Amino acid sequence: MLYYLAIGIYVIVCLTLILVVLLQQGKGGSMANAFGGGATQAAFGARSGATVLSRATTVCAVLFIIGALYIGVAGQRGGGGSSVVGGRAPAGSSAPATPAPAPAKPAPTQPAPTPAPAK
């Protein structure tokens, strides 16, 4: 149950991270800046304080990484149930996935005692 809750939260974090990254304003690093045309700005754009969107990006990125690690570990332990193809034999294999039971052997019979000769 906890595994599926983590998957749901992870999907929400992923969608939030996509939204937050797309809402951010570009830094203005065009081709003119690469060849010296933007000499008035610093090498990587103007330095500004951290905005709410940049902090939200950092938080979502950290949650994304932690969530990916948790889901990976929980999936290895079998937290999400078995795989759909986990129990199948390879495609080229003609052997069954489980060996067939051996046929029951008949109980060994002892030869019947021979009657004693009549006198």
Side-chain angles (χ1 to χ4, degrees):
M1 181 68 182
L2 183 63
Y3 179 78
Y4 296 112
L5 180 66
I7 293 287
I9 292 172
Y10 188 70
V11 168
I12 292 170
V13 167
C14 291
L15 294 174
T16 305
L17 180 63
I18 291 170
L19 182 68
V20 169
V21 167
L22 290 176
L23 286 176
Q24 288 186 16
Q25 183 178 359
K27 299 288 182 184
S30 63
M31 284 300 284
N33 288 342
F35 295 108
T40 59
Q41 293 184 357
F44 296 106
R47 177 81 176 157
S48 64
T51 63
V52 174
L53 287 177
S54 65
R55 289 184 189 196
T57 303
T58 304
V59 169
C60 286
V62 169
L63 290 175
F64 177 82
I65 293 171
I66 291 172
L69 290 173
Y70 174 76
I71 290 170
V73 170
Q76 289 292 329
R77 291 184 188 162
S82 63
S83 173
V84 174
V85 294
R88 298 187 65 184
S93 174
S94 61
T98 58
K105 294 181 181 178
T109 57
Q110 297 179 355
T114 56
K119 293 187 185 179

